Amino acid sequence: MPRGVIPRQPAKTGRQDRAARQFARSQSRAAAAALARPERGKARLAKKSSKAKSYNPIDPERVREILKRLDQLYPDVTCALHHSNAWQLLVATILSAQSTDVNVNRVTPELFRKYPTVEDFARLTPEQLQPDIYSTGFFRNKAKSVVGAAKEIVSNFGGQVPDDMEKLLTLPGVARKTANVVLGTWFKKSDGLVVDTHVTRISRRLELTRSEEPQKIEQDLMRVIPREKWILFAHQIIWHGRKLCFARSPKCVDCPLENICHAADKTWSTVEIHKGAK
Ligand code: SF4
């Protein structure tokens, strides 16, 4: 700065002081608002959580809505395993473990042409049957189960597949899932619900159960699904698992259950996600 030049001093009009006071006041108002905001957020959260507490996934109205939408989506679906009698269905169901229905349907026409009756199977050794069912996987165990079941049916049940849960469960390789398939699909008896991998996954996603064990899942579903729907519901859910609700990357965007499904692993959602629903 050249010597002798004095910088201009602000005029003493009091405007600066007023502006400073206004600025300080506006700052303190902003600080007060910022302090109040978390309170408002907390209140909103509390309101939300009280709403979440009132949500009941197994509310009969919600379950009815799920059933209604499944009926619209899969009006008359049934078991995808090809069969023409109870024995063939039993064999196909045993073979379907850890395999696909498509794969089993490829094997069974030739199998039942080669061995048309339960007596034909009863005369085999498991080793003789193994090559015929090799492509369904786990063929050694499956051959043992099929031949063992045939022998039991011929010797204890007069060659007829029993239409009774307890008796079916005495057959080798037959657990509740297989028994429920045969009872529901062939004999039209609702003694329980088929719980396979699709039913397990989807009923957990839809929060109809929190269990992981098939037996407990079956019990949970028997409590919330009306008995007259047990057979159809299981088929519908199995079809849903094949068509849309895949294990990986379910097609939620195309799913008619989307706005009532809160599954944690949804690929698209218009509703709140529930971490436990998976
Ligand atoms: S919305 Fe998605 S996760 Fe839920 S049932 Fe449908 S496909 Fe499955």
Side-chain angles (χ1 to χ4, degrees):
M1 187 187 300
R3 205 187 291 176
V5 178
I6 302 161
R8 202 172 155 219
Q9 296 300 305
K12 291 280 180 196
T13 58
R15 273 169 63 198
Q16 289 89 346
D17 295 343
R18 262 204 313 279
R21 272 200 303 276
Q22 266 171 9
F23 178 73
R25 243 182 276 139
S26 72
Q27 286 295 88
S28 67
R29 266 203 300 271
L35 275 174
R37 233 172 274 135
E39 292 309 315
R40 253 186 276 151
K42 267 186 213 159
R44 233 178 279 141
L45 216 65
K47 207 173 162 192
K48 245 188 194 178
S49 72
S50 79
K51 248 190 197 173
K53 261 180 220 149
S54 67
Y55 167 76
N56 176 10
I58 55 166
D59 182 275
E61 209 173 297
R62 179 175 184 267
V63 174
R64 264 198 301 278
E65 189 55 36
I66 292 174
L67 296 178
K68 192 176 115 194
R69 294 188 196 188
L70 285 174
D71 281 348
Q72 287 162 354
L73 201 54
Y74 311 105
D76 25 52
V77 284
T78 186
C79 181
L81 293 167
H82 298 164
H83 62 278
S84 50
N85 57 47
W87 167 246
Q88 289 188 358
L89 179 57
L90 180 64
V91 174
T93 312
I94 292 173
L95 297 184
S96 71
Q98 312 289 321
S99 185
T100 64
D101 291 352
V102 175
N103 206 7
V104 174
N105 288 339
R106 256 189 235 127
V107 166
T108 48
E110 177 55 19
L111 184 68
F112 297 137
R113 196 199 54 75
K114 206 166 164 188
Y115 311 110
T117 65
V118 61
E119 287 79 7
D120 293 323
F121 280 89
R123 278 190 284 270
L124 296 173
T125 63
E127 290 71 26
Q128 284 173 307
L129 184 61
Q130 283 174 13
D132 299 295
I133 61 168
Y134 177 81
S135 64
T136 66
F138 298 94
F139 61 95
R140 288 192 192 88
N141 276 343
K142 288 179 184 176
K144 227 186 269 173
S145 298
V146 171
V147 171
K151 288 186 194 301
E152 292 267 331
I153 288 171
V154 169
S155 56
N156 297 343
F157 303 110
Q160 300 298 315
V161 175
D163 61 353
D164 176 273
M165 175 65 81
E166 270 182 39
K167 289 178 185 162
L168 278 169
L169 292 178
T170 64
L171 302 174
V174 176
R176 277 195 74 89
K177 189 201 100 178
T178 305
N180 275 323
V181 171
V182 175
L183 287 175
T185 306
W186 186 259
F187 294 110
K188 311 289 176 221
K189 278 180 127 185
S190 305
D191 273 18
L193 260 138
V194 175
V195 177
D196 72 344
T197 169
H198 299 296
V199 177
T200 300
R201 178 178 74 254
I202 300 170
S203 40
R204 280 169 55 78
R205 278 177 173 165
L206 289 173
E207 299 171 278
L208 300 176
T209 179
R210 281 170 194 264
S211 310
E212 289 178 25
E213 289 168 37
Q215 287 226 8
K216 285 189 186 156
I217 293 173
E218 188 184 353
Q219 294 299 317
D220 292 342
L221 293 177
M222 284 163 78
R223 270 192 289 273
V224 296
I225 308 292
R227 189 174 191 137
E228 68 274 13
K229 284 281 187 180
W230 288 356
I231 300 172
L232 185 60
F233 173 80
H235 289 316
Q236 288 172 326
I237 290 289
I238 292 168
W239 279 94
H240 192 50
R242 290 193 189 121
K243 299 269 174 203
L244 292 171
C245 195
F246 310 130
R248 279 187 207 161
S249 305
K251 277 185 150 185
C252 306
V253 70
D254 295 329
C255 177
L257 298 169
E258 194 284 316
N259 66 348
I260 48 172
C261 171
H262 302 263
D265 52 353
K266 279 173 82 173
T267 50
W268 186 79
S269 191
T270 57
V271 291
E272 187 193 350
I273 293 291
H274 295 171
K275 282 192 186 131
K278 57 184 175 183

